[in-house]
Each structure stands twice: as C-alpha cells, then as structure tokens.
Amino acid sequence: MAVFGRGVSWDETYEHALAISGFAPYPGGHPFYLYIRNIFSLQSYLSAGMLWLTKGPLLICYLRDVVTLVLMTVPLYFLAVTLTQRAIWGHVAVALGLSNAYVFFASHYGIGVWPGYFSVGAIGAGYALLVFAAFMANWTRTAWFLLSLLTAVHLGHWPPLMMFAGFQLLHWDAARRKEHWQAAIIWGGSGLLIVVFFFVVQRFFHVPYPVDGPYFAVGDAQEIWINYSMREDVHRFINYLRPFSYSILLIAIVLFAGTFAVLCEPPQMRMKSAYARILLYAGCVATLAIGIRIIHAILGRDVPFLLIGWMPYRIPNQLAPVLLCMMITIVARGAGKERRYTPEVWAIALLLAALPAAARGLLISEDLYQRYIEGGEYLCFFLLGGAVAVLAERLLFISKSWFLFVFPSVLVGAGMLLWFSQFIFACSIAGLGFHALRRLSPNDRIATKNWVRVCALCVVIVLGLHLHREWRGREHLPRTAFQQGVVEYLASVDDSTAMIIPPIWEVEWSARLGVPVFADYGTPRYVTYVPALGPVLQKMHRDVFGFNLDGAPNDGAQPLTERSATDWQQLGRAYGFRYVVQPAELPLNLDAVYSRDEFVLYAVSVPEVSNVTTSP
C-alpha cells in the first residue's frame, strides 16, 4: 500500500536485469555488461529472473521497493521489541526511523529510509540489521542461516557481522557456545550451500574480457583506478555527505552509552546484558572501519584495492539504527522503581517531536525543515540527552561511587558535543531537561494503558503524515516528456533496442527507455568496483567524450560539438551506439530526429523512415 501510494520507483537492478537477460543487448565487451554479468550479486540475478518471467519493469521495481521498505522497518521493529520486550516501542522505533532519526551520521555512504533507484546498498544494510536483530533475539539458527546468505545478498556488509558472530562461537556459557556451533555448522552450512549453488549457476553467465576490438584496451589499471578514485570516489576516498568524523562520533556515542548502560546493570548480569552484545558489535565495526582508515592514511595512493574495495567506511552506518533502538530501550526501562512517570510519556514526546519531519511542508517552512529537521539530528540527540539522564539517575541509585566515576566522562562528552555542533548539544540538553522536568513533576495519575493508547495514536498520526507526504510527491515509474517521446520514436522506427548516449551527468536512462546505454554518470564509477575495467573505460570516455578518467591532460581530444558526422558514424560503428541525446543549446553535427524540452535526440545513422519530430 505504501509503495503504490508513493509510486513505484525505477530500480538499478532493473538495468542490471536488462543487461543480464539480453533485453537490452549490449556489445559483448562493454564494461557495464562485463561488470553486471560477472558480479556475484543475488539481487541482480533475481531481478533478471523476474524480467525473464514478466518481460516488464513493474513487478521488479515494485517488489524491490517493497523489500527495501520492509528491510528499513521490520528489522528496526524486531530489534526494538527484542530489547524492550514491548511491541509499542517497536512501532515507535519505526516511526522515528522513517522520520530520519539516525540519518545524520551518514558519512561516505548515505543512509536511506524510503525506496529509491539505488536500492542494492539499502537492501544490504537492512538485511544486515535483520541478521543482527536475529542474533540479539537469540534466534540462533535463523541468524546463522541469514548470515551465510548475506555473502550473496551484499558481501560488503558481511565482515563486521561475521566478526561479531565469530565471538558468539567463543561464548563464555558452554550451553550457548554449543548452540552457536551447532547452528553455525548446520544452518550456516545450509545457507552456504545455497550460496555455492548460486555461484555455480552464476558461472554459466560469466563473460570473458575481450582480447581485441573497440572494447579492448591496454593500460595500467591500478594507476587509472587510484587516480580516478582519489578525485571522484565518494565511498572510499572523498567525504560524500559529511566528514568521517560523523561516523567516529556515532561509534563513540554507541561505545559510551553502551558502557554506561552496562554499568547500570546488576553486576552478575553485566556481561550477559544486551548492552554488552551491542558493545561487542560496535567494537567490531570500530576495529574494521577506523583500523582500515588508519592504514589507508598511512599507505595513501599505495593502498591495495582489496583493503578498501568493499567500502569499509560505510559499515559505521550499521550502528545508527542500533543506537536508536538502544536509546529507546534505555528510556523505556526508565530509571528504576523510583521513577515518577510511565516511559510511554517519552514515546509520546518523541512522536510529537517527529511531526515536523513527517509533515514536511505543512507545519514549518521548507528552509527551516532543511536546516533543522531533514537530517534528523534533533530527534536523535533529544533522545540521547534523555537516555543519558535516565542512566545517570539509575546509576546514582545503584552506586554513588560509580556515578562519581562516570560523571566526569559525561561532562567531557557534553563538551565534545558542544565543540562538534552547538545545535546537537542544545538538543541533548533539551532531552535531559525534559527528563528532569518529568522527574520533578507530581506522580502521573493516568493509567499506563491509557498512555499506551495515546502513544499508539501518535504512532498512527506520524505514519499517516509520512504516507500523506509521500502521496503528495507521488511518481510512478516516471519518465520525462522527452524520454517518453524517445521511447515512442524508437518504437516507430523499429529500433527499440538501439544503444544510446544519454547526457553524461544523468542516470536511469537505461531503465526508463529500456535500451542499452553507452555511458552515463555511473559508468566510469565501475572502475572503483573492478579496477580491471579502467583501461577500457578510459578509452571509451576519451574517444567519445574527450576526457581522461585518470585526470591526465586531454590534449588532442575533440569536443562533442566539433566532431563531424563522419567521425560520429565511425565511433558509432565501432562502439555500437546509434543515437545521442544532447541539450539543444549544444548542437551536434548529426541529424536531429526528435526534440522536446530543450533536449534533442540525434541519430548517428538515420533509419529510412525517420523524420525530425518536434513536440511542443
């Protein structure tokens, strides 16, 4: 319902499916074709199977949107319910998650919540959270089975979870250790058999690299990869959204809050508590992400691809929803029997605070939304301040000596937040103040079940506002008027599988038109996944677009607008493309066959029945 309400999005694996299945016939040596056919990704091949059955994009893109939304919400719900033992807090976690309560911490890699075109990473992250939630819920067999499948779903999210799972095999409790070993062998082995089966099947689709022809090139792949990556790779080299310090801040908060929460547990339960397991997972993530970051800084441009090729700098993102659930658990449990108010009051306050995020454009101006609301930090740090206040009060009840020991570290942490951002510091103080205000207020006279009902109503309102917002921005498999015209033109000349060159700064053209694409914004970035593609990508972009991927001087390169029709036709015959899309203000020396909305479709070799078609 939510997906149909907001409209089905185009999905990147639909483009993968077009190439794998041959519905968009790429030349055998094209780098995108090589990459997609040879990639070990169950996601891409499942989409290819669905395309083979349905012959269209709707089912693929719809199911991908559904799976993305499910994996962004259901694991969050299960983890919150597991930690709090209350279903209502699972709903609160989902409502806050959809309100971007933890996306603030994204650094090299974005944290998505709603479905979109780039779904592979989002599904991998949601699946990884599901695996972690299964371990936290002691669904041992399910956890090991899902963990082994993760290698085929998204290999980049597997290392920290495997590291965390490995420690479960060394569990101090003999019974639990035996249970994990049995589950790892039987259920993990069963999942591994499925992965091996997929690997064998995928080998039948493997495509060898060309040894001659236009898509064959020689060059130093390592040099092209490192030179391009140091200038353009936003996931491994360049800070994409924010500096890596945001990821370090996330790790530090999880370690600090987790340690504080463990100290608040009875001594005999500290190492057995859920907080201790969260600390262990955070330690695994920190060891990999920060450790590799240090090695990368030392090695510089000599860093080996295998060290950073799997994007280790995105794995701190896995801790963001875990932090949200941990803070919710802290306020849900309260400060102890002496508390003066039901924890559901906290849930209601958080849900009311989430209203501006859910009702974008209705309650506050767009400028204020983008400045203070969109990143979700106001929710996250308001909750953090409250969680620290609850823990401080609880620790004071348990041990004053421990409280005096921890209190200076709280002050240091507050100072670091103030140095990092005055806004998040103010939000944290607001959360602490809210807890203090409620702690000093008279005892609640409203029954707990009534607070739960109010909380449930607030959840419904927040989720309803989210759906309303998504409905207002509804787009269902969108095409621009120009793209629709191109589809109709190609069909009219019986050339619906022709390779085109879209604007180099855009994506989704292959999905929207259903045709092979010579190169778009994402094409050169395949060198960051498979450095061996560097030489041919360098050759393609220099020949057609007139620039070098590795930043070398473009001496002798010919601009697109100065290229003769003969030169275009020679390139077209060599590389296999037949049409070029170009802004009208930058005309090419080719025959224009369709134009609309300031874009022109040029034919490199015009079909006999073609005529220039112009739409208003």
mmCIF file of all heavy atoms in Angstrom, residues 105-108 243-252 313 316-317:
data_model
loop_
_atom_site.group_PDB
_atom_site.id
_atom_site.type_symbol
_atom_site.label_atom_id
_atom_site.label_comp_id
_atom_site.label_asym_id
_atom_site.label_seq_id
_atom_site.Cartn_x
_atom_site.Cartn_y
_atom_site.Cartn_z
ATOM 1 N N PHE A 105 24.159 10.602 10.801
ATOM 2 C CA PHE A 105 25.510 10.070 10.968
ATOM 3 C C PHE A 105 26.141 9.591 9.666
ATOM 4 O O PHE A 105 27.289 9.147 9.668
ATOM 5 C CB PHE A 105 25.487 8.913 11.970
ATOM 6 C CG PHE A 105 25.118 9.327 13.361
ATOM 7 C CD1 PHE A 105 23.868 9.041 13.880
ATOM 8 C CD2 PHE A 105 26.020 10.016 14.147
ATOM 9 C CE1 PHE A 105 23.523 9.416 15.167
ATOM 10 C CE2 PHE A 105 25.688 10.403 15.443
ATOM 11 C CZ PHE A 105 24.436 10.111 15.950
ATOM 12 N N ALA A 106 25.433 9.650 8.554
ATOM 13 C CA ALA A 106 25.989 9.178 7.278
ATOM 14 C C ALA A 106 27.219 9.992 6.901
ATOM 15 O O ALA A 106 27.246 11.211 7.051
ATOM 16 C CB ALA A 106 24.935 9.279 6.185
ATOM 17 N N SER A 107 28.227 9.326 6.397
ATOM 18 C CA SER A 107 29.470 9.998 6.013
ATOM 19 C C SER A 107 29.815 9.678 4.568
ATOM 20 O O SER A 107 29.403 10.374 3.651
ATOM 21 C CB SER A 107 30.607 9.574 6.953
ATOM 22 O OG SER A 107 31.828 10.119 6.552
ATOM 23 N N HIS A 108 30.568 8.609 4.347
ATOM 24 C CA HIS A 108 30.961 8.229 2.990
ATOM 25 C C HIS A 108 29.821 7.611 2.199
ATOM 26 O O HIS A 108 29.897 7.522 0.977
ATOM 27 C CB HIS A 108 32.130 7.234 3.036
ATOM 28 C CG HIS A 108 33.462 7.881 3.242
ATOM 29 N ND1 HIS A 108 34.280 8.246 2.206
ATOM 30 C CD2 HIS A 108 34.106 8.243 4.364
ATOM 31 C CE1 HIS A 108 35.384 8.794 2.679
ATOM 32 N NE2 HIS A 108 35.302 8.795 3.987
ATOM 33 N N PRO A 243 32.132 14.764 6.809
ATOM 34 C CA PRO A 243 33.439 14.167 7.137
ATOM 35 C C PRO A 243 33.282 12.852 7.890
ATOM 36 O O PRO A 243 32.243 12.591 8.513
ATOM 37 C CB PRO A 243 34.095 15.238 8.016
ATOM 38 C CG PRO A 243 33.404 16.513 7.659
ATOM 39 C CD PRO A 243 32.000 16.133 7.307
ATOM 40 N N PHE A 244 34.328 12.047 7.854
ATOM 41 C CA PHE A 244 34.304 10.752 8.541
ATOM 42 C C PHE A 244 34.155 10.919 10.045
ATOM 43 O O PHE A 244 33.812 9.969 10.755
ATOM 44 C CB PHE A 244 35.584 9.980 8.214
ATOM 45 C CG PHE A 244 35.553 8.540 8.644
ATOM 46 C CD1 PHE A 244 34.652 7.649 8.094
ATOM 47 C CD2 PHE A 244 36.432 8.072 9.611
ATOM 48 C CE1 PHE A 244 34.612 6.326 8.484
ATOM 49 C CE2 PHE A 244 36.417 6.747 10.007
ATOM 50 C CZ PHE A 244 35.501 5.873 9.440
ATOM 51 N N SER A 245 34.388 12.147 10.539
ATOM 52 C CA SER A 245 34.230 12.399 11.970
ATOM 53 C C SER A 245 32.805 12.118 12.434
ATOM 54 O O SER A 245 32.583 11.804 13.603
ATOM 55 C CB SER A 245 34.615 13.842 12.299
ATOM 56 O OG SER A 245 33.864 14.754 11.517
ATOM 57 N N TYR A 246 31.816 12.204 11.528
ATOM 58 C CA TYR A 246 30.439 11.881 11.903
ATOM 59 C C TYR A 246 30.303 10.392 12.212
ATOM 60 O O TYR A 246 29.565 10.005 13.116
ATOM 61 C CB TYR A 246 29.474 12.286 10.789
ATOM 62 C CG TYR A 246 29.190 13.773 10.746
ATOM 63 C CD1 TYR A 246 30.172 14.686 10.388
ATOM 64 C CD2 TYR A 246 27.944 14.258 11.073
ATOM 65 C CE1 TYR A 246 29.916 16.042 10.356
ATOM 66 C CE2 TYR A 246 27.661 15.619 11.041
ATOM 67 C CZ TYR A 246 28.666 16.511 10.683
ATOM 68 O OH TYR A 246 28.405 17.849 10.659
ATOM 69 N N SER A 247 31.008 9.564 11.442
ATOM 70 C CA SER A 247 30.999 8.128 11.736
ATOM 71 C C SER A 247 31.720 7.839 13.045
ATOM 72 O O SER A 247 31.290 6.985 13.828
ATOM 73 C CB SER A 247 31.665 7.357 10.585
ATOM 74 O OG SER A 247 30.924 7.482 9.390
ATOM 75 N N ILE A 248 32.825 8.558 13.293
ATOM 76 C CA ILE A 248 33.546 8.384 14.555
ATOM 77 C C ILE A 248 32.670 8.821 15.727
ATOM 78 O O ILE A 248 32.652 8.184 16.788
ATOM 79 C CB ILE A 248 34.862 9.176 14.528
ATOM 80 C CG1 ILE A 248 35.785 8.610 13.430
ATOM 81 C CG2 ILE A 248 35.559 9.134 15.881
ATOM 82 C CD1 ILE A 248 37.072 9.371 13.263
ATOM 83 N N LEU A 249 31.924 9.928 15.541
ATOM 84 C CA LEU A 249 31.001 10.380 16.582
ATOM 85 C C LEU A 249 29.964 9.305 16.888
ATOM 86 O O LEU A 249 29.658 9.038 18.057
ATOM 87 C CB LEU A 249 30.314 11.671 16.136
ATOM 88 C CG LEU A 249 29.233 12.219 17.076
ATOM 89 C CD1 LEU A 249 29.844 12.674 18.400
ATOM 90 C CD2 LEU A 249 28.473 13.370 16.421
ATOM 91 N N LEU A 250 29.426 8.678 15.846
ATOM 92 C CA LEU A 250 28.446 7.610 16.039
ATOM 93 C C LEU A 250 29.036 6.460 16.842
ATOM 94 O O LEU A 250 28.428 5.978 17.814
ATOM 95 C CB LEU A 250 27.949 7.115 14.679
ATOM 96 C CG LEU A 250 27.088 5.852 14.667
ATOM 97 C CD1 LEU A 250 25.813 6.059 15.462
ATOM 98 C CD2 LEU A 250 26.769 5.448 13.229
ATOM 99 N N ILE A 251 30.228 6.019 16.448
ATOM 100 C CA ILE A 251 30.879 4.913 17.166
ATOM 101 C C ILE A 251 31.123 5.294 18.624
ATOM 102 O O ILE A 251 30.875 4.505 19.547
ATOM 103 C CB ILE A 251 32.198 4.539 16.463
ATOM 104 C CG1 ILE A 251 31.916 3.928 15.084
ATOM 105 C CG2 ILE A 251 33.006 3.567 17.316
ATOM 106 C CD1 ILE A 251 33.156 3.730 14.240
ATOM 107 N N ALA A 252 31.595 6.533 18.859
ATOM 108 C CA ALA A 252 31.895 6.977 20.219
ATOM 109 C C ALA A 252 30.633 7.009 21.081
ATOM 110 O O ALA A 252 30.655 6.599 22.254
ATOM 111 C CB ALA A 252 32.542 8.362 20.178
ATOM 112 N N TYR A 313 34.194 2.043 4.939
ATOM 113 C CA TYR A 313 33.828 3.276 5.630
ATOM 114 C C TYR A 313 32.320 3.479 5.724
ATOM 115 O O TYR A 313 31.862 4.444 6.337
ATOM 116 C CB TYR A 313 34.481 4.480 4.933
ATOM 117 C CG TYR A 313 35.973 4.331 4.786
ATOM 118 C CD1 TYR A 313 36.637 4.756 3.646
ATOM 119 C CD2 TYR A 313 36.730 3.725 5.790
ATOM 120 C CE1 TYR A 313 38.001 4.605 3.510
ATOM 121 C CE2 TYR A 313 38.096 3.558 5.658
ATOM 122 C CZ TYR A 313 38.729 4.000 4.517
ATOM 123 O OH TYR A 313 40.087 3.833 4.391
ATOM 124 N N PRO A 316 30.065 1.837 9.616
ATOM 125 C CA PRO A 316 29.528 2.505 10.815
ATOM 126 C C PRO A 316 28.047 2.846 10.687
ATOM 127 O O PRO A 316 27.352 2.962 11.708
ATOM 128 C CB PRO A 316 30.385 3.774 10.923
ATOM 129 C CG PRO A 316 31.689 3.403 10.306
ATOM 130 C CD PRO A 316 31.307 2.500 9.158
ATOM 131 N N ASN A 317 27.554 2.979 9.445
ATOM 132 C CA ASN A 317 26.122 3.243 9.262
ATOM 133 C C ASN A 317 25.255 2.158 9.902
ATOM 134 O O ASN A 317 24.111 2.423 10.285
ATOM 135 C CB ASN A 317 25.782 3.335 7.776
ATOM 136 C CG ASN A 317 26.352 4.577 7.121
ATOM 137 O OD1 ASN A 317 27.024 5.383 7.766
ATOM 138 N ND2 ASN A 317 26.095 4.752 5.834
#
